Amino acid sequence: MDSRPTPADASPWLPFENRRRARDEKRDAVLRVAVQLFLEQGYHRATLNDVAERLNITKPALYNYFRSKDEILYACWSLGRELVDDAIAAIDAGGGPGLARLRKLVHAYAELMATDFGASLVRFDPRDLTEAHRRIVRAAKKKIDRSFRDYIAAGIADGSVRRCDPKLSAFAIAGSLNWIGHWYQRDGASSPAEIADEFTLRLTEGIAATPDKPARGGPKTKTARKASAPGKQGRKPPRGGTG
Amino acid sequence: MDSRPTPADASPWLPFENRRRARDEKRDAVLRVAVQLFLEQGYHRATLNDVAERLNITKPALYNYFRSKDEILYACWSLGRELVDDAIAAIDAGGGPGLARLRKLVHAYAELMATDFGASLVRFDPRDLTEAHRRIVRAAKKKIDRSFRDYIAAGIADGSVRRCDPKLSAFAIAGSLNWIGHWYQRDGASSPAEIADEFTLRLTEGIAATPDKPARGGPKTKTARKASAPGKQGRKPPRGGTG
DNA sequence: GCGATATATTACCCGCGGGTAAGAAAAAGT
DNA sequence: ACTTTTTCTTACCCGCGGGTAATATATCGC
């Protein structure tokens, strides 16, 4: 019985059936629900009871997988961090002129901001974490910021980017991207891919060395529909469905 | 004794002296301290006891001026809103080409983000407010967004701005500005004026119709040191001192 | 001075929510 | 089938913090 493929987003704790999945899967399920709830209600308003309820379990069961609420928060953030790190690693490995790398990063980051774990990078408050975790967060953010600046600086060096202050330019670009995590919603007018395409263009055309002739034909953004970022992304679908 | 001119940022409730100031001044003092604490610790971590303590009073005394914690939050936000609205009104009154108005708005908004009440516009979570207040917040944000879009659209119409999607461009610009409210700190490397100058340039050069030849000489940002935005800003110093 | 009003204090309530203890129910080992 | 181990539930603790009641102290009009 029960040959249904489990709706992919469903809880592994089916109301009273086969509870036999691996521990890690359950842990992941907790995180998926938690990040969703934390984003939806805000960390402080979302209670562990809420999280448990959505999983068809009770609060204390969560403590089999996590030691505290803030550890769950950190784990969510941590998954998002992995995604960014992978993206950066892939770009670094790829090489190319500074501007090209910057654009890849902008594109990948923009798409990330439209995912739950990606958004958690910018919507969670580090002050809710322990000092130890907070240090890690600070370091990770610094690293991301560094990537933006390095690509810009590299671009200036290799001539693909106009002279500018890499620090403030990075702030401007990253700020714009981070904000996506605050306003993007699945039922919005633009798809993540469209947003990423558009932002990649807009945020880099200002500092690109070559004027770049931005689509004289019209403001249509659906030019680069070809799934954009090739590798890196498909590894761990943050929650494939329509949401 | 005690002829000191009260350090300007100090509490009107001096430990045990002349408590005789006007009600509104005290209310304002509550808000000044509250917004500071809410930003510094986060709304949920900051307790009313904390607020009261910094004012040399006790928690229940606050209830002479506000009915609840979230009302204080709203009042803080509301002050920030006034500042933006004033800025927009001044720009609208001034007229000029779309790009010029957009730049004025960017500049004013950037400087606002470096103030407590300005930052509260983007760092407070509307979900902490009552539904009624939340609606007001939504409307206000929509209005601000509208201004950005309108200036861009006007710029496209009058030829000062290149063709682009006003909606996404506004998102990109506003996002970048909003993010200032998250990273700016008084002891940072750049002053609000410098940041505002730099962002005004960077965020609009991409969509400006005239290439604008951005300072070929070098990445020095102090070019536009001439107090930038003329009127509108000096009216109500958000807290003049060095902070 | 004296009563009325505004403003502050002390002492308290209480609900919410993170976290825990003890034990039931599955799963797994043998 | 039995024990052992893991996982989950029921029932609870308790501290924090928003909010209130009752009362005291200024302040002001007279």
Side-chain angles (χ1 to χ4, degrees):
Chain A
M1 60 186 75
D2 191 70
S3 62
R4 290 162 300 176
T6 59
D9 196 28
S11 162
W13 292 272
L14 298 177
F16 218 86
E17 308 172 58
N18 55 339
R19 307 175 167 179
R20 59 188 54 173
R21 304 204 177 187
R23 184 182 175 82
D24 284 352
E25 274 188 58
K26 291 187 182 172
R27 207 186 118 108
D28 282 356
V30 172
L31 293 183
R32 279 203 315 269
V33 166
V35 73
Q36 214 175 324
L37 237 102
F38 290 168
L39 290 175
E40 177 181 319
Q41 318 232 4
Y43 177 69
H44 289 98
R45 269 173 303 275
T47 74
L48 291 187
N49 271 324
D50 295 337
V51 175
E53 198 174 349
R54 281 207 191 174
L55 291 164
N56 302 319
I57 57 176
T58 57
K59 178 177 57 172
L62 296 174
Y63 284 82
N64 279 313
Y65 307 97
F66 301 95
R67 272 196 286 273
S68 62
K69 192 187 184 188
D70 66 82
E71 193 180 294
I72 296 179
L73 186 72
Y74 175 72
C76 292
W77 175 89
S78 212
L79 284 183
R81 178 233 171 103
E82 271 182 38
L83 297 177
V84 190
D85 278 358
D86 288 356
I88 292 178
I91 295 169
D92 278 336
L99 180 61
R101 276 182 283 162
L102 176 64
R103 282 186 170 149
K104 281 186 199 167
L105 180 55
V106 168
H107 198 280
Y109 200 87
E111 282 193 321
L112 251 178
M113 283 301 112
T115 69
D116 283 349
F117 289 113
S120 72
L121 285 172
V122 296
R123 288 184 51 189
F124 291 167
D125 190 338
R127 290 171 298 191
D128 287 320
L129 302 173
T130 61
E131 177 54 34
H133 286 161
R134 200 155 47 230
R135 270 207 304 273
I136 298 178
V137 169
R138 264 199 300 270
K141 290 196 172 173
K142 200 164 186 171
K143 187 192 161 191
I144 296 173
D145 179 49
R146 186 57 150 261
S147 291
F148 277 102
R149 292 194 205 186
D150 283 353
Y151 296 161
I152 294 173
I156 295 176
D158 66 28
S160 59
V161 169
R162 291 205 305 222
R163 270 171 170 282
C164 64
D165 178 11
K167 180 183 169 185
L168 275 181
S169 293
F171 268 148
I173 292 175
S176 200
L177 291 172
N178 286 335
W179 205 247
I180 296 176
H182 280 81
W183 57 259
Y184 173 76
Q185 39 196 6
R186 283 182 180 69
D187 54 335
S190 314
S191 76
E194 284 170 345
I195 294 170
D197 288 349
E198 180 74 11
F199 272 65
T200 304
L201 225 84
R202 292 277 170 267
L203 296 181
T204 58
E205 68 188 352
I207 62 172
T210 69
D212 205 38
K213 267 312 163 220
R216 261 285 163 219
K220 285 283 175 288
T221 62
K222 1 188 136 169
T223 59
R225 240 325 177 19
K226 36 72 180 281
S228 55
K232 118 198 148 317
Q233 191 70 343
R235 263 194 46 203
K236 187 185 251 184
R239 252 178 58 250
T242 60
Chain B
M1 57 184 72
D2 189 69
S3 62
R4 288 162 300 175
T6 59
D9 195 27
S11 160
W13 292 273
L14 298 177
F16 219 90
E17 307 174 59
N18 54 339
R19 307 174 166 180
R20 61 188 55 178
R21 304 200 176 190
R23 182 182 175 83
D24 285 351
E25 273 188 59
K26 292 186 180 172
R27 208 186 118 106
D28 283 355
V30 172
L31 293 182
R32 278 202 317 269
V33 166
V35 73
Q36 215 174 322
L37 233 93
F38 290 168
L39 290 175
E40 178 180 319
Q41 319 232 4
Y43 177 69
H44 289 99
R45 270 172 302 274
T47 74
L48 290 186
N49 271 326
D50 295 338
V51 175
E53 198 175 350
R54 281 209 191 172
L55 291 164
N56 300 321
I57 58 175
T58 57
K59 178 176 57 171
L62 296 174
Y63 284 81
N64 279 314
Y65 306 97
F66 301 95
R67 271 195 287 272
S68 62
K69 193 187 182 186
D70 66 83
E71 193 179 296
I72 297 179
L73 186 72
Y74 175 72
C76 291
W77 176 90
S78 212
L79 284 182
R81 177 232 173 102
E82 272 183 37
L83 297 177
V84 189
D85 278 358
D86 288 356
I88 291 178
I91 295 169
D92 277 337
L99 180 62
R101 276 183 283 162
L102 176 63
R103 283 187 169 147
K104 280 185 197 166
L105 179 55
V106 169
H107 198 281
Y109 199 87
E111 282 193 320
L112 251 179
M113 284 299 112
T115 69
D116 283 348
F117 289 114
S120 72
L121 286 173
V122 296
R123 288 184 51 189
F124 291 167
D125 190 339
R127 291 171 296 191
D128 287 320
L129 301 174
T130 62
E131 177 55 34
H133 285 161
R134 201 158 45 230
R135 270 207 303 274
I136 299 177
V137 169
R138 265 199 300 269
K141 290 195 171 174
K142 199 163 186 172
K143 187 192 161 191
I144 296 173
D145 180 48
R146 188 56 152 261
S147 291
F148 277 102
R149 291 193 205 186
D150 284 352
Y151 295 162
I152 293 173
I156 295 176
D158 67 27
S160 58
V161 170
R162 291 205 305 220
R163 269 171 170 280
C164 64
D165 178 11
K167 181 183 168 187
L168 276 181
S169 293
F171 269 148
I173 293 175
S176 199
L177 291 172
N178 285 336
W179 204 248
I180 297 175
H182 281 81
W183 57 258
Y184 173 76
Q185 41 195 5
R186 284 181 180 68
D187 54 335
S190 313
S191 76
E194 283 170 346
I195 293 170
D197 288 350
E198 180 73 12
F199 272 66
T200 303
L201 224 83
R202 292 279 170 264
L203 296 182
T204 59
E205 69 187 350
I207 61 173
T210 68
D212 206 37
K213 268 307 164 223
R216 264 278 164 225
K220 286 281 175 288
T221 61
K222 357 187 141 174
T223 58
R225 241 323 179 16
K226 35 80 181 272
S228 53
K232 112 202 153 314
Q233 193 67 346
R235 267 193 42 202
K236 185 186 254 184
R239 254 176 59 248
T242 60

